Amino acid sequence: MTQSTLGLKAKQQLIERFLGRKVGAGWTAPSAAAARPPDRSSVPEAYTRFDRHPDYEKMLVSKAAADRLGLRNPFFIAHDGVAGALTRIDGREFINFSSYNYLGLAGHPAVNKAAKDAIDRYGTSASASRLVAGERLIQRELEEALADLYEVEDCVVFVSGHATNVSTIATLFGPKDLVIHDALIHNSVLEGIKLAGSARRSFPHNDTRALDAILTEIRHQFERVLIVVEGHYSMDGDIPDLPTLIDIKRRHGCFLMVDEAHALGVLGATGKGSHEHHRIAGQDVDIWMGTLSKTLAGCGGYIAGERALVEHLKYAAPGFVYSVGIAPPLAAASLAALRILLKEPERVARLRENGQLFLKLAKESGINVGTSQGFSIVPVITGSSLKAAKLSNQLFERSINVQPIVYPAVEEKAARLRFFLSNLHTEVQIRQTLKTIEGQM
C-alpha cells in the first residue's frame, strides 16, 4: 500500500469518525488532482466580473443612449418629505403622480402616532422570526383586522409584498401542479411559480373565455391548479370579472388567488376591495393577497383565507418562517390606516372622483389610456420607450413628477407614463397636468 493510499484511508476514517458511521462502499475519496484548485486562466474573464454580466452591459447601452439624447434619468430621484399629491425634489415642489398613497394615509397624524407609540412599547424591530421569537400583540391585531375585512377565518402578514407571492405559491404548489395566470400578472407571481417548479400557463388579459377553454383542455393533467389574477391591475388600471372567475374555478376544481395590492382602499364603496366591489363573499376566493405599502401606509404583504391555509404558511412558508417578523411600528401604522379607511369612506369617494376626472379629461384630449377604468391608475400610453422617457422629462421640467414605464417592463408598443391618483390631488392639479400633457404630445 502506497503512502498516498494510506493518506486517503486516514481521511476516510476521519470522515467516518465525524459522521459516527461507516461511509458506504460507493464513497470515493477525492484524488490529489481533484483537490488542486482549478486553473483560473481557463475561465473566461466575463464569468468572473460583475461589470461584464450581459444584463448589466445591456443596461449600460440604454443609459448611454439616454445620455446621448440628453434625457434625465428618471429613476432613484431623492424626494424630501411625505409622498403625497405634492413632493419636494431639490427644494422644488412638484405635483406627484408616482406614489401609491391612494387615501393620503402615509404621513397621517394618527398613523404616525401609532407607529411612534409602537416604537416606545416594542422597539423598532421584532428582532427575529415570529416562529422563533414569538408574537407581538400588534402583529396579531393587524392580522385579525385584515381577516375581518375579508370576512375569512385568518390572515398572516409577511415583511415583503413581493416575497408574499413568491413564498406562498412556492409553498402551496409543486411540480405536479399548474399555475395559470392573467398575462399581465405581477413579477412576484412569476417568481413564485419558478420556485414552486409548477407548470405555468397564461391567458390573455381579462379573457375569461380563454381561461375556461385552457382549463377544459388541460386541467386533467395536473393535481392542484391555481388561477391567479389581480384585483386591480397596476399597469393598466382595469379590473377582472371576478364573479366569472369564481364560477370557472369551481367548475374546474381549482384554487383562485386574487392580488389586492392596488385594490384595497380603491375598489368598493367603502374601499374594502374586490369582494365589496363585486358583491361577493370573502370565502368565495381561496387566497386573498395584498400589500401594506399602498393604502395601508406601511410595508409588507398578507395572505387572508381559511385557517388551514394560514396555519400551513405560518409553519412552512420560507418567507415567513426564515424571515424576521413585521416590525411593530409598521404593523401599528398599517392597523391605524386600516381603521381610518373603515371610518372615513369619504376618502375613497374623493379618490374615485379624481380618478374619473383624470380619465375623462385624458380621453377628451385624445390621449391613449388603454383599458383603464379610472379608479386610481391611469396610463398615458406613448407607444415607444423613447417617447415615454421624453414626456416624463418634459413634465418634470414643468414640476410634474411621473415615472415612465419602458421596455422590457412592458412591450415596446405599450411604453407609457403611469399616473397614480390620490384623494389628496385637487381638481386644479389634475386639469393643469392634463393640459400640460396635451401640449407636449
Side-chain angles (χ1 to χ4, degrees):
M1 186 176 291
T2 65
Q3 185 175 352
S4 175
T5 304
L6 284 170
L8 293 175
K9 187 174 182 179
K11 288 179 183 178
Q12 181 173 348
Q13 289 173 343
L14 285 171
I15 292 172
E16 289 174 344
R17 189 181 305 163
F18 174 77
L19 294 175
R21 59 177 174 80
K22 288 283 185 181
V23 175
W27 181 83
T28 304
S31 66
R36 289 197 299 268
D39 181 6
R40 181 167 174 171
S41 64
S42 66
V43 179
E45 186 181 22
Y47 296 162
T48 66
R49 292 172 51 177
F50 289 119
D51 63 348
R52 295 290 301 278
H53 194 287
D55 289 342
Y56 179 69
E57 290 181 334
K58 288 178 185 177
M59 187 175 70
L60 291 179
V61 170
S62 299
K63 282 187 172 183
D67 289 342
R68 285 197 301 272
L69 293 169
L71 294 177
R72 171 191 57 85
N73 184 349
F75 307 112
F76 300 104
I77 295 173
H79 294 244
D80 184 23
V82 177
L86 297 172
T87 188
R88 295 192 70 81
I89 302 172
D90 290 334
R92 288 173 56 196
E93 189 172 73
F94 288 74
I95 303 173
N96 184 35
F97 293 97
S98 290
S99 76
Y100 309 137
N101 191 7
Y102 293 128
L103 299 185
L105 298 177
H108 188 286
V111 174
N112 289 354
K113 183 178 185 304
K116 292 172 184 176
D117 289 347
I119 290 175
D120 291 339
R121 181 174 180 180
Y122 299 107
T124 56
S125 173
S127 299
S129 162
R130 289 166 63 185
L131 200 66
V132 173
E135 303 283 355
R136 299 297 182 273
L137 292 177
I138 194 66
Q139 297 165 332
R140 280 303 294 155
E141 285 183 48
L142 173 61
E143 290 169 339
E144 290 166 359
L146 287 167
D148 287 344
L149 177 80
Y150 286 100
E151 301 172 353
V152 294
E153 292 179 339
D154 207 350
C155 174
V156 57
V157 168
F158 293 72
V159 294
S160 159
H162 190 281
T164 300
N165 274 335
V166 173
S167 208
T168 296
I169 293 172
T171 298
L172 299 176
F173 300 92
K176 295 181 180 180
D177 303 326
L178 167 69
V179 182
I180 184 166
H181 59 83
D182 188 287
L184 299 185
I185 204 69
H186 193 266
N187 167 269
S188 55
V189 171
L190 303 181
E191 295 301 317
I193 300 169
K194 286 181 189 176
L195 192 58
S198 301
R200 179 175 75 86
R201 298 288 189 279
S202 67
F203 59 92
H205 181 50
N206 278 341
D207 190 340
T208 54
R209 289 186 179 181
L211 169 64
D212 198 0
I214 294 170
L215 289 172
T216 298
E217 181 181 355
I218 67 172
R219 171 63 183 93
H220 66 280
Q221 299 174 17
F222 303 94
E223 292 183 356
R224 297 170 188 81
V225 173
L226 174 68
I227 302 167
V228 192
V229 298
E230 294 181 25
H232 185 206
Y233 284 90
S234 61
M235 283 291 180
D236 292 81
D238 55 4
I239 64 175
D241 182 353
L242 200 50
T244 298
L245 288 166
I246 291 169
D247 174 64
I248 290 173
K249 75 103 177 179
R250 285 173 175 165
R251 286 192 288 105
H252 291 283
C254 305
F255 295 104
L256 176 61
M257 179 176 185
V258 180
D259 183 333
E260 290 281 278
H262 294 270
L264 179 62
V266 174
L267 299 185
T270 63
K272 291 182 179 179
S274 294
H275 68 292
E276 182 180 41
H277 177 86
H278 295 283
R279 299 181 181 180
I280 61 171
Q283 294 179 349
D284 288 342
V285 169
D286 302 286
I287 306 173
W288 290 106
M289 179 273 172
T291 57
L292 306 176
S293 55
K294 282 83 174 174
T295 290
L296 297 187
C299 188
Y302 60 86
I303 295 291
E306 65 177 271
R307 186 158 289 109
L309 163 70
V310 172
E311 190 169 12
H312 183 178
L313 294 175
K314 280 189 171 182
Y315 283 91
F320 182 83
V321 173
Y322 299 105
S323 176
V324 67
I326 184 171
L330 291 174
S334 290
L335 180 58
L338 179 57
R339 288 171 174 165
I340 295 171
L341 159 66
L342 297 175
K343 184 180 178 182
E344 302 177 7
E346 61 271 19
R347 291 175 178 270
V348 181
R350 178 62 182 162
L351 171 63
R352 187 72 49 81
E353 291 172 3
N354 284 345
Q356 291 299 311
L357 176 63
F358 193 103
L359 184 70
K360 174 178 174 290
L361 294 176
K363 287 183 174 181
E364 288 176 354
S365 298
I367 294 169
N368 183 359
V369 295
T371 57
S372 175
Q373 293 173 254
F375 291 108
S376 65
I377 302 167
V378 183
V380 169
I381 300 173
T382 62
S384 83
S385 296
L386 178 59
K387 288 181 180 178
K390 282 185 174 180
L391 182 57
S392 175
N393 270 250
Q394 291 163 344
L395 294 178
F396 190 85
E397 291 170 2
R398 290 158 179 80
S399 299
I400 299 170
N401 181 58
V402 58
Q403 296 296 93
I405 307 296
V406 300
Y407 178 85
V410 293
E411 294 181 34
E412 178 63 18
K413 64 182 180 180
R416 64 193 62 192
L417 300 188
R418 188 168 52 155
F419 288 80
F420 294 102
L421 280 301
S422 164
N423 72 309
L424 299 177
H425 284 113
T426 67
E427 182 176 339
V428 170
Q429 291 168 344
I430 292 171
R431 290 185 178 277
Q432 176 186 337
T433 297
L434 267 301
K435 185 176 180 180
T436 304
I437 295 171
E438 188 178 6
Q440 298 299 323
M441 293 190 73

